[in-house]
PDB file of all heavy atoms in Angstrom:
ATOM      1  N   ALA A 773      15.865  24.823   2.282  1.00 90.00           N
ATOM      2  CA  ALA A 773      17.125  24.965   3.018  1.00 90.00           C
ATOM      3  C   ALA A 773      17.325  23.852   4.046  1.00 90.00           C
ATOM      4  O   ALA A 773      18.399  23.739   4.649  1.00 90.00           O
ATOM      5  CB  ALA A 773      17.160  26.321   3.729  1.00 90.00           C
ATOM      6  N   SER A 774      16.323  23.030   4.263  1.00 92.00           N
ATOM      7  CA  SER A 774      16.454  21.922   5.228  1.00 92.00           C
ATOM      8  C   SER A 774      17.504  20.939   4.725  1.00 92.00           C
ATOM      9  O   SER A 774      17.559  20.613   3.540  1.00 92.00           O
ATOM     10  CB  SER A 774      15.116  21.210   5.407  1.00 92.00           C
ATOM     11  OG  SER A 774      14.174  22.068   6.018  1.00 92.00           O
ATOM     12  N   ASP A 775      18.333  20.490   5.643  1.00 92.00           N
ATOM     13  CA  ASP A 775      19.413  19.592   5.241  1.00 92.00           C
ATOM     14  C   ASP A 775      19.469  18.314   6.060  1.00 92.00           C
ATOM     15  O   ASP A 775      20.396  17.507   5.920  1.00 92.00           O
ATOM     16  CB  ASP A 775      20.762  20.326   5.311  1.00 92.00           C
ATOM     17  CG  ASP A 775      21.111  20.780   6.721  1.00 92.00           C
ATOM     18  OD1 ASP A 775      20.310  20.539   7.650  1.00 92.00           O
ATOM     19  OD2 ASP A 775      22.196  21.365   6.893  1.00 92.00           O
ATOM     20  N   TYR A 776      18.497  18.131   6.931  1.00 93.00           N
ATOM     21  CA  TYR A 776      18.494  16.943   7.786  1.00 93.00           C
ATOM     22  C   TYR A 776      17.049  16.534   8.000  1.00 93.00           C
ATOM     23  O   TYR A 776      16.199  17.373   8.336  1.00 93.00           O
ATOM     24  CB  TYR A 776      19.191  17.275   9.099  1.00 93.00           C
ATOM     25  CG  TYR A 776      19.304  16.130  10.077  1.00 93.00           C
ATOM     26  CD1 TYR A 776      19.890  14.913   9.735  1.00 93.00           C
ATOM     27  CD2 TYR A 776      18.852  16.282  11.384  1.00 93.00           C
ATOM     28  CE1 TYR A 776      19.999  13.881  10.647  1.00 93.00           C
ATOM     29  CE2 TYR A 776      18.962  15.255  12.310  1.00 93.00           C
ATOM     30  CZ  TYR A 776      19.533  14.056  11.939  1.00 93.00           C
ATOM     31  OH  TYR A 776      19.659  13.037  12.840  1.00 93.00           O
ATOM     32  N   PHE A 777      16.768  15.250   7.819  1.00 95.00           N
ATOM     33  CA  PHE A 777      15.395  14.770   7.855  1.00 95.00           C
ATOM     34  C   PHE A 777      15.320  13.512   8.714  1.00 95.00           C
ATOM     35  O   PHE A 777      16.226  12.666   8.694  1.00 95.00           O
ATOM     36  CB  PHE A 777      14.918  14.442   6.424  1.00 95.00           C
ATOM     37  CG  PHE A 777      15.084  15.597   5.475  1.00 95.00           C
ATOM     38  CD1 PHE A 777      16.277  15.788   4.805  1.00 95.00           C
ATOM     39  CD2 PHE A 777      14.046  16.486   5.267  1.00 95.00           C
ATOM     40  CE1 PHE A 777      16.446  16.859   3.932  1.00 95.00           C
ATOM     41  CE2 PHE A 777      14.205  17.560   4.406  1.00 95.00           C
ATOM     42  CZ  PHE A 777      15.399  17.750   3.735  1.00 95.00           C
ATOM     43  N   ILE A 778      14.223  13.418   9.437  1.00 95.00           N
ATOM     44  CA  ILE A 778      14.084  12.308  10.385  1.00 95.00           C
ATOM     45  C   ILE A 778      12.675  11.736  10.283  1.00 95.00           C
ATOM     46  O   ILE A 778      11.701  12.482  10.099  1.00 95.00           O
ATOM     47  CB  ILE A 778      14.293  12.791  11.841  1.00 95.00           C
ATOM     48  CG1 ILE A 778      15.556  13.650  11.960  1.00 95.00           C
ATOM     49  CG2 ILE A 778      14.381  11.608  12.804  1.00 95.00           C
ATOM     50  CD1 ILE A 778      15.685  14.347  13.296  1.00 95.00           C
ATOM     51  N   TRP A 779      12.581  10.437  10.433  1.00 97.00           N
ATOM     52  CA  TRP A 779      11.289   9.780  10.582  1.00 97.00           C
ATOM     53  C   TRP A 779      11.152   9.297  12.023  1.00 97.00           C
ATOM     54  O   TRP A 779      12.072   8.690  12.587  1.00 97.00           O
ATOM     55  CB  TRP A 779      11.167   8.584   9.642  1.00 97.00           C
ATOM     56  CG  TRP A 779      10.806   8.950   8.236  1.00 97.00           C
ATOM     57  CD1 TRP A 779      11.646   9.055   7.176  1.00 97.00           C
ATOM     58  CD2 TRP A 779       9.486   9.252   7.750  1.00 97.00           C
ATOM     59  NE1 TRP A 779      10.943   9.403   6.052  1.00 97.00           N
ATOM     60  CE2 TRP A 779       9.616   9.528   6.370  1.00 97.00           C
ATOM     61  CE3 TRP A 779       8.222   9.305   8.334  1.00 97.00           C
ATOM     62  CZ2 TRP A 779       8.524   9.861   5.572  1.00 97.00           C
ATOM     63  CZ3 TRP A 779       7.139   9.636   7.538  1.00 97.00           C
ATOM     64  CH2 TRP A 779       7.292   9.904   6.175  1.00 97.00           C
ATOM     65  N   TYR A 780       9.979   9.581  12.581  1.00 97.00           N
ATOM     66  CA  TYR A 780       9.658   9.125  13.923  1.00 97.00           C
ATOM     67  C   TYR A 780       8.387   8.273  13.881  1.00 97.00           C
ATOM     68  O   TYR A 780       7.493   8.494  13.067  1.00 97.00           O
ATOM     69  CB  TYR A 780       9.397  10.317  14.867  1.00 97.00           C
ATOM     70  CG  TYR A 780      10.617  11.078  15.280  1.00 97.00           C
ATOM     71  CD1 TYR A 780      11.019  12.228  14.604  1.00 97.00           C
ATOM     72  CD2 TYR A 780      11.375  10.671  16.378  1.00 97.00           C
ATOM     73  CE1 TYR A 780      12.139  12.946  15.004  1.00 97.00           C
ATOM     74  CE2 TYR A 780      12.486  11.389  16.786  1.00 97.00           C
ATOM     75  CZ  TYR A 780      12.858  12.518  16.090  1.00 97.00           C
ATOM     76  OH  TYR A 780      13.970  13.225  16.491  1.00 97.00           O
ATOM     77  N   LYS A 781       8.319   7.340  14.826  1.00 97.00           N
ATOM     78  CA  LYS A 781       7.142   6.500  15.013  1.00 97.00           C
ATOM     79  C   LYS A 781       6.552   6.832  16.377  1.00 97.00           C
ATOM     80  O   LYS A 781       7.272   6.870  17.370  1.00 97.00           O
ATOM     81  CB  LYS A 781       7.560   5.028  14.980  1.00 97.00           C
ATOM     82  CG  LYS A 781       6.484   4.027  15.363  1.00 97.00           C
ATOM     83  CD  LYS A 781       7.093   2.617  15.465  1.00 97.00           C
ATOM     84  CE  LYS A 781       6.051   1.586  15.860  1.00 97.00           C
ATOM     85  NZ  LYS A 781       6.645   0.227  16.020  1.00 97.00           N
ATOM     86  N   GLN A 782       5.257   7.086  16.415  1.00 96.00           N
ATOM     87  CA  GLN A 782       4.621   7.375  17.687  1.00 96.00           C
ATOM     88  C   GLN A 782       3.474   6.410  17.932  1.00 96.00           C
ATOM     89  O   GLN A 782       2.480   6.414  17.209  1.00 96.00           O
ATOM     90  CB  GLN A 782       4.117   8.822  17.759  1.00 96.00           C
ATOM     91  CG  GLN A 782       3.599   9.194  19.148  1.00 96.00           C
ATOM     92  CD  GLN A 782       3.141  10.636  19.263  1.00 96.00           C
ATOM     93  OE1 GLN A 782       2.749  11.254  18.279  1.00 96.00           O
ATOM     94  NE2 GLN A 782       3.185  11.178  20.475  1.00 96.00           N
ATOM     95  N   GLU A 783       3.619   5.621  18.973  1.00 95.00           N
ATOM     96  CA  GLU A 783       2.552   4.722  19.388  1.00 95.00           C
ATOM     97  C   GLU A 783       1.629   5.469  20.340  1.00 95.00           C
ATOM     98  O   GLU A 783       2.013   6.467  20.953  1.00 95.00           O
ATOM     99  CB  GLU A 783       3.142   3.485  20.047  1.00 95.00           C
ATOM    100  CG  GLU A 783       4.002   2.656  19.086  1.00 95.00           C
ATOM    101  CD  GLU A 783       4.660   1.464  19.760  1.00 95.00           C
ATOM    102  OE1 GLU A 783       4.595   1.372  20.990  1.00 95.00           O
ATOM    103  OE2 GLU A 783       5.228   0.630  19.035  1.00 95.00           O
ATOM    104  N   SER A 784       0.429   4.982  20.448  1.00 93.00           N
ATOM    105  CA  SER A 784      -0.591   5.658  21.246  1.00 93.00           C
ATOM    106  C   SER A 784      -0.134   5.865  22.689  1.00 93.00           C
ATOM    107  O   SER A 784       0.308   4.924  23.347  1.00 93.00           O
ATOM    108  CB  SER A 784      -1.878   4.838  21.226  1.00 93.00           C
ATOM    109  OG  SER A 784      -2.882   5.469  21.972  1.00 93.00           O
ATOM    110  N   GLY A 785      -0.209   7.110  23.158  1.00 93.00           N
ATOM    111  CA  GLY A 785       0.130   7.414  24.539  1.00 93.00           C
ATOM    112  C   GLY A 785       1.612   7.485  24.835  1.00 93.00           C
ATOM    113  O   GLY A 785       1.999   7.576  26.007  1.00 93.00           O
ATOM    114  N   LYS A 786       2.435   7.450  23.800  1.00 95.00           N
ATOM    115  CA  LYS A 786       3.886   7.501  24.007  1.00 95.00           C
ATOM    116  C   LYS A 786       4.502   8.653  23.229  1.00 95.00           C
ATOM    117  O   LYS A 786       3.859   9.261  22.387  1.00 95.00           O
ATOM    118  CB  LYS A 786       4.530   6.186  23.569  1.00 95.00           C
ATOM    119  CG  LYS A 786       4.120   4.986  24.405  1.00 95.00           C
ATOM    120  CD  LYS A 786       4.954   3.770  24.029  1.00 95.00           C
ATOM    121  CE  LYS A 786       4.626   2.595  24.923  1.00 95.00           C
ATOM    122  NZ  LYS A 786       5.467   1.409  24.590  1.00 95.00           N
ATOM    123  N   GLY A 787       5.753   8.915  23.525  1.00 96.00           N
ATOM    124  CA  GLY A 787       6.478   9.925  22.780  1.00 96.00           C
ATOM    125  C   GLY A 787       6.987   9.357  21.466  1.00 96.00           C
ATOM    126  O   GLY A 787       7.024   8.140  21.264  1.00 96.00           O
ATOM    127  N   PRO A 788       7.374  10.228  20.537  1.00 97.00           N
ATOM    128  CA  PRO A 788       7.910   9.759  19.255  1.00 97.00           C
ATOM    129  C   PRO A 788       9.210   8.974  19.443  1.00 97.00           C
ATOM    130  O   PRO A 788      10.034   9.321  20.279  1.00 97.00           O
ATOM    131  CB  PRO A 788       8.165  11.054  18.479  1.00 97.00           C
ATOM    132  CG  PRO A 788       7.275  12.066  19.122  1.00 97.00           C
ATOM    133  CD  PRO A 788       7.234  11.686  20.559  1.00 97.00           C
ATOM    134  N   GLN A 789       9.355   7.954  18.633  1.00 96.00           N
ATOM    135  CA  GLN A 789      10.546   7.109  18.682  1.00 96.00           C
ATOM    136  C   GLN A 789      11.318   7.273  17.380  1.00 96.00           C
ATOM    137  O   GLN A 789      10.750   7.142  16.292  1.00 96.00           O
ATOM    138  CB  GLN A 789      10.122   5.651  18.864  1.00 96.00           C
ATOM    139  CG  GLN A 789      11.242   4.635  18.836  1.00 96.00           C
ATOM    140  CD  GLN A 789      10.703   3.211  18.847  1.00 96.00           C
ATOM    141  OE1 GLN A 789       9.509   2.984  18.958  1.00 96.00           O
ATOM    142  NE2 GLN A 789      11.589   2.244  18.736  1.00 96.00           N
ATOM    143  N   PHE A 790      12.605   7.570  17.486  1.00 95.00           N
ATOM    144  CA  PHE A 790      13.451   7.741  16.309  1.00 95.00           C
ATOM    145  C   PHE A 790      13.496   6.444  15.495  1.00 95.00           C
ATOM    146  O   PHE A 790      13.691   5.350  16.038  1.00 95.00           O
ATOM    147  CB  PHE A 790      14.859   8.134  16.756  1.00 95.00           C
ATOM    148  CG  PHE A 790      15.890   8.120  15.662  1.00 95.00           C
ATOM    149  CD1 PHE A 790      15.992   9.191  14.800  1.00 95.00           C
ATOM    150  CD2 PHE A 790      16.747   7.038  15.502  1.00 95.00           C
ATOM    151  CE1 PHE A 790      16.948   9.194  13.793  1.00 95.00           C
ATOM    152  CE2 PHE A 790      17.695   7.034  14.509  1.00 95.00           C
ATOM    153  CZ  PHE A 790      17.797   8.105  13.645  1.00 95.00           C
ATOM    154  N   ILE A 791      13.298   6.579  14.179  1.00 97.00           N
ATOM    155  CA  ILE A 791      13.392   5.401  13.310  1.00 97.00           C
ATOM    156  C   ILE A 791      14.659   5.471  12.456  1.00 97.00           C
ATOM    157  O   ILE A 791      15.502   4.573  12.484  1.00 97.00           O
ATOM    158  CB  ILE A 791      12.183   5.310  12.356  1.00 97.00           C
ATOM    159  CG1 ILE A 791      10.884   5.243  13.132  1.00 97.00           C
ATOM    160  CG2 ILE A 791      12.318   4.088  11.460  1.00 97.00           C
ATOM    161  CD1 ILE A 791       9.663   5.312  12.221  1.00 97.00           C
ATOM    162  N   ILE A 792      14.756   6.540  11.675  1.00 97.00           N
ATOM    163  CA  ILE A 792      15.861   6.665  10.744  1.00 97.00           C
ATOM    164  C   ILE A 792      15.990   8.117  10.327  1.00 97.00           C
ATOM    165  O   ILE A 792      15.006   8.868  10.357  1.00 97.00           O
ATOM    166  CB  ILE A 792      15.653   5.749   9.505  1.00 97.00           C
ATOM    167  CG1 ILE A 792      16.939   5.631   8.676  1.00 97.00           C
ATOM    168  CG2 ILE A 792      14.487   6.226   8.657  1.00 97.00           C
ATOM    169  CD1 ILE A 792      16.885   4.524   7.630  1.00 97.00           C
ATOM    170  N   ASP A 793      17.202   8.518   9.963  1.00 95.00           N
ATOM    171  CA  ASP A 793      17.424   9.881   9.510  1.00 95.00           C
ATOM    172  C   ASP A 793      18.226   9.876   8.222  1.00 95.00           C
ATOM    173  O   ASP A 793      18.787   8.850   7.809  1.00 95.00           O
ATOM    174  CB  ASP A 793      18.110  10.735  10.589  1.00 95.00           C
ATOM    175  CG  ASP A 793      19.458  10.147  11.051  1.00 95.00           C
ATOM    176  OD1 ASP A 793      19.877   9.091  10.520  1.00 95.00           O
ATOM    177  OD2 ASP A 793      20.080  10.736  11.958  1.00 95.00           O
ATOM    178  N   ILE A 794      18.275  11.032   7.584  1.00 96.00           N
ATOM    179  CA  ILE A 794      19.033  11.153   6.346  1.00 96.00           C
ATOM    180  C   ILE A 794      19.448  12.604   6.166  1.00 96.00           C
ATOM    181  O   ILE A 794      18.681  13.529   6.477  1.00 96.00           O
ATOM    182  CB  ILE A 794      18.214  10.641   5.124  1.00 96.00           C
ATOM    183  CG1 ILE A 794      19.092  10.580   3.867  1.00 96.00           C
ATOM    184  CG2 ILE A 794      16.977  11.503   4.889  1.00 96.00           C
ATOM    185  CD1 ILE A 794      18.424   9.834   2.715  1.00 96.00           C
ATOM    186  N   ARG A 795      20.656  12.800   5.673  1.00 94.00           N
ATOM    187  CA  ARG A 795      21.110  14.152   5.384  1.00 94.00           C
ATOM    188  C   ARG A 795      20.848  14.467   3.917  1.00 94.00           C
ATOM    189  O   ARG A 795      20.670  13.571   3.091  1.00 94.00           O
ATOM    190  CB  ARG A 795      22.602  14.281   5.699  1.00 94.00           C
ATOM    191  CG  ARG A 795      22.897  14.487   7.164  1.00 94.00           C
ATOM    192  CD  ARG A 795      24.339  14.929   7.373  1.00 94.00           C
ATOM    193  NE  ARG A 795      24.652  16.159   6.681  1.00 94.00           N
ATOM    194  CZ  ARG A 795      24.413  17.367   7.166  1.00 94.00           C
ATOM    195  NH1 ARG A 795      23.814  17.506   8.346  1.00 94.00           N
ATOM    196  NH2 ARG A 795      24.748  18.442   6.497  1.00 94.00           N
TER     197      ARG A 795
END
Side-chain angles (χ1 to χ4, degrees):
Chain A
S774 294
D775 62 0
Y776 182 55
F777 306 87
I778 312 170
W779 279 100
Y780 286 95
K781 171 187 179 183
Q782 187 178 26
E783 297 177 351
S784 181
K786 295 188 176 182
Q789 176 187 355
F790 170 81
I791 301 174
I792 193 168
D793 57 1
I794 188 169
R795 280 193 59 84

